[in-house]
mmCIF file of all heavy atoms in Angstrom:
data_model
loop_
_atom_site.group_PDB
_atom_site.id
_atom_site.type_symbol
_atom_site.label_atom_id
_atom_site.label_comp_id
_atom_site.label_asym_id
_atom_site.label_seq_id
_atom_site.Cartn_x
_atom_site.Cartn_y
_atom_site.Cartn_z
ATOM 1 N N MET C 5 3.224 72.394 -17.302
ATOM 2 C CA MET C 5 4.402 72.438 -16.446
ATOM 3 C C MET C 5 4.051 73.171 -15.150
ATOM 4 O O MET C 5 3.580 74.301 -15.168
ATOM 5 C CB MET C 5 5.537 73.146 -17.174
ATOM 6 C CG MET C 5 6.843 73.101 -16.444
ATOM 7 S SD MET C 5 8.145 73.415 -17.623
ATOM 8 C CE MET C 5 9.165 74.477 -16.687
ATOM 9 N N GLY C 6 4.270 72.502 -14.027
ATOM 10 C CA GLY C 6 3.926 73.066 -12.731
ATOM 11 C C GLY C 6 4.968 74.038 -12.203
ATOM 12 O O GLY C 6 6.087 74.111 -12.697
ATOM 13 N N ILE C 7 4.569 74.780 -11.192
ATOM 14 C CA ILE C 7 5.459 75.742 -10.554
ATOM 15 C C ILE C 7 6.349 75.002 -9.561
ATOM 16 O O ILE C 7 5.863 74.262 -8.704
ATOM 17 C CB ILE C 7 4.640 76.836 -9.832
ATOM 18 C CG1 ILE C 7 3.791 77.586 -10.854
ATOM 19 C CG2 ILE C 7 5.556 77.782 -9.076
ATOM 20 C CD1 ILE C 7 2.744 78.487 -10.241
ATOM 21 N N LYS C 8 7.649 75.212 -9.664
ATOM 22 C CA LYS C 8 8.610 74.541 -8.793
ATOM 23 C C LYS C 8 8.878 75.389 -7.553
ATOM 24 O O LYS C 8 8.769 76.607 -7.582
ATOM 25 C CB LYS C 8 9.918 74.295 -9.547
ATOM 26 C CG LYS C 8 9.745 73.372 -10.736
ATOM 27 C CD LYS C 8 11.031 73.216 -11.493
ATOM 28 C CE LYS C 8 10.806 72.346 -12.721
ATOM 29 N NZ LYS C 8 12.005 72.239 -13.539
ATOM 30 N N TYR C 9 9.235 74.698 -6.480
ATOM 31 C CA TYR C 9 9.584 75.347 -5.218
ATOM 32 C C TYR C 9 10.935 74.820 -4.758
ATOM 33 O O TYR C 9 11.226 73.636 -4.930
ATOM 34 C CB TYR C 9 8.529 75.055 -4.146
ATOM 35 C CG TYR C 9 7.280 75.884 -4.295
ATOM 36 C CD1 TYR C 9 6.336 75.605 -5.267
ATOM 37 C CD2 TYR C 9 7.046 76.958 -3.449
ATOM 38 C CE1 TYR C 9 5.191 76.374 -5.407
ATOM 39 C CE2 TYR C 9 5.898 77.736 -3.584
ATOM 40 C CZ TYR C 9 4.982 77.436 -4.556
ATOM 41 O OH TYR C 9 3.857 78.204 -4.684
ATOM 42 N N GLN C 10 11.744 75.699 -4.165
ATOM 43 C CA GLN C 10 13.081 75.321 -3.720
ATOM 44 C C GLN C 10 13.206 75.464 -2.210
ATOM 45 O O GLN C 10 12.775 76.475 -1.628
ATOM 46 C CB GLN C 10 14.133 76.186 -4.401
ATOM 47 C CG GLN C 10 15.550 75.781 -4.042
ATOM 48 C CD GLN C 10 16.579 76.544 -4.843
ATOM 49 O OE1 GLN C 10 16.358 77.679 -5.243
ATOM 50 N NE2 GLN C 10 17.700 75.925 -5.092
ATOM 51 N N CYS C 11 13.815 74.476 -1.587
ATOM 52 C CA CYS C 11 14.092 74.524 -0.154
ATOM 53 C C CYS C 11 15.168 75.580 0.087
ATOM 54 O O CYS C 11 16.240 75.539 -0.525
ATOM 55 C CB CYS C 11 14.567 73.159 0.342
ATOM 56 S SG CYS C 11 15.034 73.145 2.081
ATOM 57 N N SER C 12 14.875 76.539 0.962
ATOM 58 C CA SER C 12 15.829 77.614 1.237
ATOM 59 C C SER C 12 16.984 77.156 2.123
ATOM 60 O O SER C 12 17.974 77.861 2.262
ATOM 61 C CB SER C 12 15.118 78.806 1.897
ATOM 62 O OG SER C 12 14.598 78.437 3.153
ATOM 63 N N VAL C 13 16.887 75.957 2.683
ATOM 64 C CA VAL C 13 17.946 75.441 3.548
ATOM 65 C C VAL C 13 18.997 74.684 2.733
ATOM 66 O O VAL C 13 20.187 74.978 2.824
ATOM 67 C CB VAL C 13 17.362 74.536 4.659
ATOM 68 C CG1 VAL C 13 18.469 73.929 5.500
ATOM 69 C CG2 VAL C 13 16.398 75.325 5.532
ATOM 70 N N CYS C 14 18.554 73.724 1.909
ATOM 71 C CA CYS C 14 19.517 72.869 1.208
ATOM 72 C C CYS C 14 19.499 73.002 -0.313
ATOM 73 O O CYS C 14 20.372 72.471 -0.994
ATOM 74 C CB CYS C 14 19.309 71.417 1.589
ATOM 75 S SG CYS C 14 17.824 70.661 0.874
ATOM 76 N N GLY C 15 18.486 73.673 -0.871
ATOM 77 C CA GLY C 15 18.429 73.859 -2.314
ATOM 78 C C GLY C 15 17.639 72.811 -3.077
ATOM 79 O O GLY C 15 17.515 72.893 -4.299
ATOM 80 N N TYR C 16 17.073 71.812 -2.370
ATOM 81 C CA TYR C 16 16.251 70.803 -3.038
ATOM 82 C C TYR C 16 15.096 71.488 -3.770
ATOM 83 O O TYR C 16 14.496 72.435 -3.261
ATOM 84 C CB TYR C 16 15.697 69.808 -2.018
ATOM 85 C CG TYR C 16 14.626 68.903 -2.573
ATOM 86 C CD1 TYR C 16 14.955 67.798 -3.341
ATOM 87 C CD2 TYR C 16 13.275 69.156 -2.340
ATOM 88 C CE1 TYR C 16 13.975 66.967 -3.871
ATOM 89 C CE2 TYR C 16 12.280 68.335 -2.850
ATOM 90 C CZ TYR C 16 12.646 67.245 -3.618
ATOM 91 O OH TYR C 16 11.664 66.428 -4.144
ATOM 92 N N ILE C 17 14.804 71.012 -4.974
ATOM 93 C CA ILE C 17 13.705 71.583 -5.753
ATOM 94 C C ILE C 17 12.576 70.570 -5.863
ATOM 95 O O ILE C 17 12.772 69.447 -6.321
ATOM 96 C CB ILE C 17 14.181 72.019 -7.153
ATOM 97 C CG1 ILE C 17 15.195 73.153 -7.014
ATOM 98 C CG2 ILE C 17 12.996 72.435 -8.024
ATOM 99 C CD1 ILE C 17 15.809 73.614 -8.310
ATOM 100 N N TYR C 18 11.387 71.000 -5.401
ATOM 101 C CA TYR C 18 10.189 70.172 -5.573
ATOM 102 C C TYR C 18 9.603 70.497 -6.932
ATOM 103 O O TYR C 18 9.243 71.639 -7.215
ATOM 104 C CB TYR C 18 9.144 70.449 -4.478
ATOM 105 C CG TYR C 18 7.866 69.682 -4.753
ATOM 106 C CD1 TYR C 18 7.804 68.317 -4.499
ATOM 107 C CD2 TYR C 18 6.753 70.294 -5.314
ATOM 108 C CE1 TYR C 18 6.654 67.591 -4.793
ATOM 109 C CE2 TYR C 18 5.605 69.583 -5.603
ATOM 110 C CZ TYR C 18 5.563 68.233 -5.342
ATOM 111 O OH TYR C 18 4.433 67.507 -5.653
ATOM 112 N N ASP C 19 9.505 69.483 -7.784
ATOM 113 C CA ASP C 19 8.939 69.625 -9.121
ATOM 114 C C ASP C 19 7.607 68.887 -9.149
ATOM 115 O O ASP C 19 7.577 67.655 -9.063
ATOM 116 C CB ASP C 19 9.902 69.034 -10.155
ATOM 117 C CG ASP C 19 9.434 69.216 -11.582
ATOM 118 O OD1 ASP C 19 8.229 69.496 -11.811
ATOM 119 O OD2 ASP C 19 10.264 69.073 -12.483
ATOM 120 N N PRO C 20 6.491 69.617 -9.246
ATOM 121 C CA PRO C 20 5.185 68.956 -9.215
ATOM 122 C C PRO C 20 4.957 68.003 -10.383
ATOM 123 O O PRO C 20 4.143 67.087 -10.272
ATOM 124 C CB PRO C 20 4.195 70.115 -9.235
ATOM 125 C CG PRO C 20 4.945 71.247 -9.831
ATOM 126 C CD PRO C 20 6.373 71.061 -9.403
ATOM 127 N N ASP C 21 5.660 68.198 -11.478
ATOM 128 C CA ASP C 21 5.501 67.299 -12.619
ATOM 129 C C ASP C 21 6.052 65.908 -12.305
ATOM 130 O O ASP C 21 5.625 64.920 -12.886
ATOM 131 C CB ASP C 21 6.193 67.869 -13.856
ATOM 132 C CG ASP C 21 5.536 69.153 -14.346
ATOM 133 O OD1 ASP C 21 4.316 69.325 -14.123
ATOM 134 O OD2 ASP C 21 6.236 69.994 -14.929
ATOM 135 N N ILE C 22 6.999 65.848 -11.374
ATOM 136 C CA ILE C 22 7.618 64.577 -10.972
ATOM 137 C C ILE C 22 6.989 64.055 -9.685
ATOM 138 O O ILE C 22 6.780 62.860 -9.526
ATOM 139 C CB ILE C 22 9.138 64.753 -10.784
ATOM 140 C CG1 ILE C 22 9.785 65.160 -12.105
ATOM 141 C CG2 ILE C 22 9.771 63.480 -10.232
ATOM 142 C CD1 ILE C 22 11.226 65.584 -11.981
ATOM 143 N N GLY C 23 6.665 64.973 -8.760
ATOM 144 C CA GLY C 23 6.154 64.563 -7.450
ATOM 145 C C GLY C 23 7.249 63.875 -6.657
ATOM 146 O O GLY C 23 8.436 64.050 -6.929
ATOM 147 N N GLU C 24 6.848 63.070 -5.711
ATOM 148 C CA GLU C 24 7.791 62.261 -4.925
ATOM 149 C C GLU C 24 7.133 60.904 -4.710
ATOM 150 O O GLU C 24 6.667 60.587 -3.610
ATOM 151 C CB GLU C 24 8.110 62.935 -3.592
ATOM 152 C CG GLU C 24 8.893 64.215 -3.736
ATOM 153 C CD GLU C 24 9.166 64.910 -2.418
ATOM 154 O OE1 GLU C 24 8.916 64.331 -1.339
ATOM 155 O OE2 GLU C 24 9.632 66.050 -2.460
ATOM 156 N N PRO C 25 7.061 60.091 -5.779
ATOM 157 C CA PRO C 25 6.348 58.812 -5.700
ATOM 158 C C PRO C 25 6.820 57.907 -4.561
ATOM 159 O O PRO C 25 6.015 57.211 -3.953
ATOM 160 C CB PRO C 25 6.618 58.163 -7.059
ATOM 161 C CG PRO C 25 6.936 59.307 -7.965
ATOM 162 C CD PRO C 25 7.604 60.341 -7.097
ATOM 163 N N ASP C 26 8.115 57.947 -4.236
ATOM 164 C CA ASP C 26 8.627 57.105 -3.162
ATOM 165 C C ASP C 26 8.131 57.555 -1.788
ATOM 166 O O ASP C 26 8.216 56.809 -0.819
ATOM 167 C CB ASP C 26 10.153 57.051 -3.196
ATOM 168 C CG ASP C 26 10.814 58.416 -3.119
ATOM 169 O OD1 ASP C 26 10.227 59.404 -3.610
ATOM 170 O OD2 ASP C 26 11.924 58.498 -2.563
ATOM 171 N N ARG C 27 7.570 58.778 -1.709
ATOM 172 C CA ARG C 27 6.997 59.289 -0.458
ATOM 173 C C ARG C 27 5.473 59.389 -0.539
ATOM 174 O O ARG C 27 4.849 60.001 0.314
ATOM 175 C CB ARG C 27 7.574 60.675 -0.149
ATOM 176 C CG ARG C 27 9.069 60.644 0.130
ATOM 177 C CD ARG C 27 9.607 62.028 0.403
ATOM 178 N NE ARG C 27 9.249 62.452 1.762
ATOM 179 C CZ ARG C 27 9.316 63.708 2.194
ATOM 180 N NH1 ARG C 27 9.714 64.670 1.385
ATOM 181 N NH2 ARG C 27 8.985 64.008 3.424
ATOM 182 N N GLY C 28 4.895 58.806 -1.600
ATOM 183 C CA GLY C 28 3.449 58.786 -1.739
ATOM 184 C C GLY C 28 2.849 60.046 -2.344
ATOM 185 O O GLY C 28 1.648 60.263 -2.261
ATOM 186 N N ILE C 29 3.693 60.885 -2.959
ATOM 187 C CA ILE C 29 3.209 62.122 -3.595
ATOM 188 C C ILE C 29 3.222 61.895 -5.108
ATOM 189 O O ILE C 29 4.290 61.783 -5.724
ATOM 190 C CB ILE C 29 4.077 63.333 -3.198
ATOM 191 C CG1 ILE C 29 4.044 63.512 -1.673
ATOM 192 C CG2 ILE C 29 3.597 64.592 -3.910
ATOM 193 C CD1 ILE C 29 5.046 64.504 -1.135
ATOM 194 N N ALA C 30 2.046 61.817 -5.676
ATOM 195 C CA ALA C 30 1.896 61.478 -7.090
ATOM 196 C C ALA C 30 2.367 62.606 -8.001
ATOM 197 O O ALA C 30 2.264 63.787 -7.643
ATOM 198 C CB ALA C 30 0.442 61.164 -7.394
ATOM 199 N N PRO C 31 2.901 62.253 -9.188
ATOM 200 C CA PRO C 31 3.212 63.287 -10.176
ATOM 201 C C PRO C 31 1.964 64.120 -10.455
ATOM 202 O O PRO C 31 0.849 63.604 -10.462
ATOM 203 C CB PRO C 31 3.624 62.479 -11.410
ATOM 204 C CG PRO C 31 4.115 61.173 -10.861
ATOM 205 C CD PRO C 31 3.242 60.915 -9.651
ATOM 206 N N GLY C 32 2.155 65.412 -10.642
ATOM 207 C CA GLY C 32 1.043 66.312 -10.901
ATOM 208 C C GLY C 32 0.494 66.974 -9.651
ATOM 209 O O GLY C 32 -0.460 67.746 -9.733
ATOM 210 N N THR C 33 1.086 66.686 -8.478
ATOM 211 C CA THR C 33 0.609 67.281 -7.227
ATOM 212 C C THR C 33 1.248 68.654 -7.028
ATOM 213 O O THR C 33 2.453 68.752 -6.833
ATOM 214 C CB THR C 33 0.958 66.383 -6.017
ATOM 215 O OG1 THR C 33 0.416 65.087 -6.222
ATOM 216 C CG2 THR C 33 0.415 66.981 -4.724
ATOM 217 N N PRO C 34 0.441 69.733 -7.082
ATOM 218 C CA PRO C 34 0.985 71.077 -6.859
ATOM 219 C C PRO C 34 1.517 71.222 -5.434
ATOM 220 O O PRO C 34 1.029 70.582 -4.508
ATOM 221 C CB PRO C 34 -0.209 72.010 -7.072
ATOM 222 C CG PRO C 34 -1.245 71.197 -7.746
ATOM 223 C CD PRO C 34 -0.985 69.764 -7.377
ATOM 224 N N PHE C 35 2.508 72.085 -5.267
ATOM 225 C CA PHE C 35 3.122 72.299 -3.957
ATOM 226 C C PHE C 35 2.088 72.694 -2.915
ATOM 227 O O PHE C 35 2.123 72.219 -1.782
ATOM 228 C CB PHE C 35 4.221 73.364 -4.050
ATOM 229 C CG PHE C 35 4.998 73.531 -2.773
ATOM 230 C CD1 PHE C 35 6.011 72.645 -2.434
ATOM 231 C CD2 PHE C 35 4.729 74.576 -1.901
ATOM 232 C CE1 PHE C 35 6.727 72.785 -1.252
ATOM 233 C CE2 PHE C 35 5.441 74.731 -0.721
ATOM 234 C CZ PHE C 35 6.444 73.834 -0.403
ATOM 235 N N ASP C 36 1.153 73.566 -3.283
ATOM 236 C CA ASP C 36 0.176 74.032 -2.296
ATOM 237 C C ASP C 36 -0.845 72.961 -1.906
ATOM 238 O O ASP C 36 -1.624 73.158 -0.976
ATOM 239 C CB ASP C 36 -0.506 75.323 -2.730
ATOM 240 C CG ASP C 36 -1.073 75.286 -4.133
ATOM 241 O OD1 ASP C 36 -0.722 74.392 -4.907
ATOM 242 O OD2 ASP C 36 -1.876 76.179 -4.457
ATOM 243 N N GLU C 37 -0.812 71.813 -2.569
ATOM 244 C CA GLU C 37 -1.677 70.702 -2.184
ATOM 245 C C GLU C 37 -0.946 69.655 -1.343
ATOM 246 O O GLU C 37 -1.543 68.656 -0.936
ATOM 247 C CB GLU C 37 -2.295 70.048 -3.422
ATOM 248 C CG GLU C 37 -3.329 70.925 -4.094
ATOM 249 C CD GLU C 37 -4.003 70.255 -5.275
ATOM 250 O OE1 GLU C 37 -3.895 69.011 -5.424
ATOM 251 O OE2 GLU C 37 -4.648 70.967 -6.055
ATOM 252 N N LEU C 38 0.340 69.894 -1.074
ATOM 253 C CA LEU C 38 1.078 68.987 -0.207
ATOM 254 C C LEU C 38 0.564 69.158 1.222
ATOM 255 O O LEU C 38 0.096 70.234 1.591
ATOM 256 C CB LEU C 38 2.582 69.307 -0.254
ATOM 257 C CG LEU C 38 3.274 69.079 -1.593
ATOM 258 C CD1 LEU C 38 4.724 69.546 -1.526
ATOM 259 C CD2 LEU C 38 3.209 67.621 -2.005
ATOM 260 N N PRO C 39 0.663 68.122 2.046
ATOM 261 C CA PRO C 39 0.185 68.240 3.428
ATOM 262 C C PRO C 39 0.929 69.344 4.183
ATOM 263 O O PRO C 39 2.089 69.645 3.873
ATOM 264 C CB PRO C 39 0.492 66.869 4.041
ATOM 265 C CG PRO C 39 0.982 65.999 2.955
ATOM 266 C CD PRO C 39 1.232 66.823 1.739
ATOM 267 N N ASP C 40 0.281 69.928 5.177
ATOM 268 C CA ASP C 40 0.904 70.991 5.969
ATOM 269 C C ASP C 40 2.161 70.508 6.689
ATOM 270 O O ASP C 40 3.062 71.296 6.963
ATOM 271 C CB ASP C 40 -0.080 71.556 6.992
ATOM 272 C CG ASP C 40 -1.190 72.360 6.330
ATOM 273 O OD1 ASP C 40 -0.999 72.832 5.181
ATOM 274 O OD2 ASP C 40 -2.241 72.523 6.961
ATOM 275 N N ASP C 41 2.227 69.210 6.970
ATOM 276 C CA ASP C 41 3.400 68.679 7.669
ATOM 277 C C ASP C 41 4.477 68.163 6.706
ATOM 278 O O ASP C 41 5.405 67.468 7.118
ATOM 279 C CB ASP C 41 2.988 67.592 8.663
ATOM 280 C CG ASP C 41 2.342 66.379 7.988
ATOM 281 O OD1 ASP C 41 2.047 66.417 6.769
ATOM 282 O OD2 ASP C 41 2.114 65.383 8.693
ATOM 283 N N TYR C 42 4.368 68.515 5.419
ATOM 284 C CA TYR C 42 5.381 68.130 4.426
ATOM 285 C C TYR C 42 6.742 68.674 4.853
ATOM 286 O O TYR C 42 6.848 69.800 5.344
ATOM 287 C CB TYR C 42 5.021 68.696 3.045
ATOM 288 C CG TYR C 42 6.097 68.505 2.011
ATOM 289 C CD1 TYR C 42 6.246 67.299 1.340
ATOM 290 C CD2 TYR C 42 6.990 69.540 1.717
ATOM 291 C CE1 TYR C 42 7.248 67.122 0.394
ATOM 292 C CE2 TYR C 42 7.994 69.362 0.777
ATOM 293 C CZ TYR C 42 8.116 68.150 0.123
ATOM 294 O OH TYR C 42 9.113 67.978 -0.802
ATOM 295 N N THR C 43 7.773 67.865 4.682
ATOM 296 C CA THR C 43 9.144 68.305 4.953
ATOM 297 C C THR C 43 10.036 67.969 3.774
ATOM 298 O O THR C 43 9.742 67.066 2.989
ATOM 299 C CB THR C 43 9.707 67.628 6.216
ATOM 300 O OG1 THR C 43 9.664 66.208 6.039
ATOM 301 C CG2 THR C 43 8.947 68.027 7.465
ATOM 302 N N CYS C 44 11.120 68.694 3.661
ATOM 303 C CA CYS C 44 12.097 68.451 2.596
ATOM 304 C C CYS C 44 12.645 67.031 2.743
ATOM 305 O O CYS C 44 13.059 66.635 3.839
ATOM 306 C CB CYS C 44 13.226 69.473 2.718
ATOM 307 S SG CYS C 44 14.549 69.220 1.508
ATOM 308 N N PRO C 45 12.674 66.269 1.636
ATOM 309 C CA PRO C 45 13.178 64.900 1.720
ATOM 310 C C PRO C 45 14.686 64.830 1.925
ATOM 311 O O PRO C 45 15.214 63.785 2.282
ATOM 312 C CB PRO C 45 12.773 64.281 0.381
ATOM 313 C CG PRO C 45 12.689 65.436 -0.553
ATOM 314 C CD PRO C 45 12.208 66.592 0.282
ATOM 315 N N VAL C 46 15.382 65.940 1.713
ATOM 316 C CA VAL C 46 16.839 65.942 1.852
ATOM 317 C C VAL C 46 17.265 66.366 3.257
ATOM 318 O O VAL C 46 18.036 65.681 3.922
ATOM 319 C CB VAL C 46 17.496 66.855 0.786
ATOM 320 C CG1 VAL C 46 18.996 66.956 0.999
ATOM 321 C CG2 VAL C 46 17.175 66.348 -0.616
ATOM 322 N N CYS C 47 16.736 67.519 3.728
ATOM 323 C CA CYS C 47 17.214 68.066 5.003
ATOM 324 C C CYS C 47 16.166 68.113 6.100
ATOM 325 O O CYS C 47 16.483 68.425 7.243
ATOM 326 C CB CYS C 47 17.811 69.450 4.787
ATOM 327 S SG CYS C 47 16.587 70.744 4.441
ATOM 328 N N GLY C 48 14.895 67.848 5.765
ATOM 329 C CA GLY C 48 13.851 67.840 6.776
ATOM 330 C C GLY C 48 13.247 69.195 7.091
ATOM 331 O O GLY C 48 12.449 69.321 8.012
ATOM 332 N N ALA C 49 13.595 70.235 6.310
ATOM 333 C CA ALA C 49 13.038 71.569 6.542
ATOM 334 C C ALA C 49 11.533 71.564 6.311
ATOM 335 O O ALA C 49 11.015 70.810 5.489
ATOM 336 C CB ALA C 49 13.706 72.584 5.619
ATOM 337 N N SER C 50 10.827 72.427 7.033
ATOM 338 C CA SER C 50 9.375 72.493 6.909
ATOM 339 C C SER C 50 8.942 73.140 5.593
ATOM 340 O O SER C 50 9.726 73.839 4.935
ATOM 341 C CB SER C 50 8.787 73.265 8.086
ATOM 342 O OG SER C 50 9.178 74.618 8.016
ATOM 343 N N LYS C 51 7.700 72.915 5.245
ATOM 344 C CA LYS C 51 7.120 73.435 4.005
ATOM 345 C C LYS C 51 7.245 74.959 3.918
ATOM 346 O O LYS C 51 7.424 75.514 2.839
ATOM 347 C CB LYS C 51 5.651 73.008 3.942
ATOM 348 C CG LYS C 51 4.928 73.365 2.676
ATOM 349 C CD LYS C 51 3.511 72.817 2.710
ATOM 350 C CE LYS C 51 2.736 73.204 1.472
ATOM 351 N NZ LYS C 51 1.360 72.694 1.502
ATOM 352 N N GLU C 52 7.163 75.644 5.054
ATOM 353 C CA GLU C 52 7.246 77.110 5.093
ATOM 354 C C GLU C 52 8.600 77.643 4.640
ATOM 355 O O GLU C 52 8.733 78.818 4.315
ATOM 356 C CB GLU C 52 6.952 77.620 6.512
ATOM 357 C CG GLU C 52 5.527 77.384 6.974
ATOM 358 C CD GLU C 52 5.287 75.941 7.449
ATOM 359 O OE1 GLU C 52 6.227 75.280 7.925
ATOM 360 O OE2 GLU C 52 4.141 75.486 7.336
ATOM 361 N N LEU C 53 9.614 76.783 4.626
ATOM 362 C CA LEU C 53 10.955 77.220 4.239
ATOM 363 C C LEU C 53 11.244 77.036 2.743
ATOM 364 O O LEU C 53 12.375 77.232 2.307
ATOM 365 C CB LEU C 53 12.015 76.487 5.078
ATOM 366 C CG LEU C 53 11.975 76.829 6.565
ATOM 367 C CD1 LEU C 53 12.956 75.963 7.339
ATOM 368 C CD2 LEU C 53 12.260 78.296 6.795
ATOM 369 N N PHE C 54 10.204 76.716 1.980
ATOM 370 C CA PHE C 54 10.357 76.595 0.516
ATOM 371 C C PHE C 54 9.974 77.916 -0.137
ATOM 372 O O PHE C 54 9.073 78.607 0.313
ATOM 373 C CB PHE C 54 9.471 75.469 -0.020
ATOM 374 C CG PHE C 54 10.068 74.100 0.108
ATOM 375 C CD1 PHE C 54 10.177 73.490 1.348
ATOM 376 C CD2 PHE C 54 10.528 73.415 -1.000
ATOM 377 C CE1 PHE C 54 10.720 72.218 1.476
ATOM 378 C CE2 PHE C 54 11.075 72.152 -0.888
ATOM 379 C CZ PHE C 54 11.171 71.545 0.358
ATOM 380 N N MET C 55 10.690 78.234 -1.216
ATOM 381 C CA MET C 55 10.425 79.475 -1.967
ATOM 382 C C MET C 55 9.985 79.100 -3.378
ATOM 383 O O MET C 55 10.540 78.195 -3.992
ATOM 384 C CB MET C 55 11.701 80.317 -2.066
ATOM 385 C CG MET C 55 12.295 80.711 -0.745
ATOM 386 S SD MET C 55 13.896 81.551 -0.939
ATOM 387 C CE MET C 55 14.870 80.290 -1.749
ATOM 388 N N ARG C 56 9.021 79.836 -3.886
ATOM 389 C CA ARG C 56 8.550 79.634 -5.259
ATOM 390 C C ARG C 56 9.633 80.086 -6.236
ATOM 391 O O ARG C 56 10.263 81.114 -6.052
ATOM 392 C CB ARG C 56 7.280 80.442 -5.469
ATOM 393 C CG ARG C 56 6.665 80.273 -6.823
ATOM 394 C CD ARG C 56 5.398 81.063 -6.921
ATOM 395 N NE ARG C 56 4.944 81.064 -8.294
ATOM 396 C CZ ARG C 56 3.739 81.362 -8.670
ATOM 397 N NH1 ARG C 56 2.841 81.741 -7.797
ATOM 398 N NH2 ARG C 56 3.405 81.343 -9.953
ATOM 399 N N LEU C 57 9.837 79.286 -7.282
ATOM 400 C CA LEU C 57 10.825 79.640 -8.308
ATOM 401 C C LEU C 57 10.136 80.276 -9.497
ATOM 402 O O LEU C 57 8.991 80.075 -9.754
ATOM 403 C CB LEU C 57 11.602 78.417 -8.772
ATOM 404 C CG LEU C 57 12.501 77.770 -7.723
ATOM 405 C CD1 LEU C 57 13.196 76.554 -8.311
ATOM 406 C CD2 LEU C 57 13.529 78.742 -7.220
#
């Protein structure tokens, strides 16, 4: 089970076990391996605005 991260702007939770297949992010991709330009799929917040849960 991977470590989840939550967007501090809208509350979206990135779950590495699920990934974001519709955005080309495969299940099993840890948050710290996401591209530097990753943004929240809900509100568009930058990766820096996510907090580890």
Side-chain angles (χ1 to χ4, degrees):
M5 187 160 138
I7 299 168
K8 297 177 183 176
Y9 282 76
Q10 184 174 30
C11 176
S12 64
V13 176
C14 73
Y16 168 79
I17 295 176
Y18 175 76
D19 184 342
D21 294 332
I22 298 170
E24 293 178 10
D26 57 329
R27 295 179 77 195
I29 301 169
T33 304
F35 186 80
D36 51 345
E37 290 183 15
L38 295 175
D40 290 338
D41 62 351
Y42 172 81
T43 58
C44 177
V46 175
C47 72
S50 67
K51 185 177 178 181
E52 293 79 28
L53 294 174
F54 277 72
M55 301 174 299
R56 182 178 171 162
L57 294 179

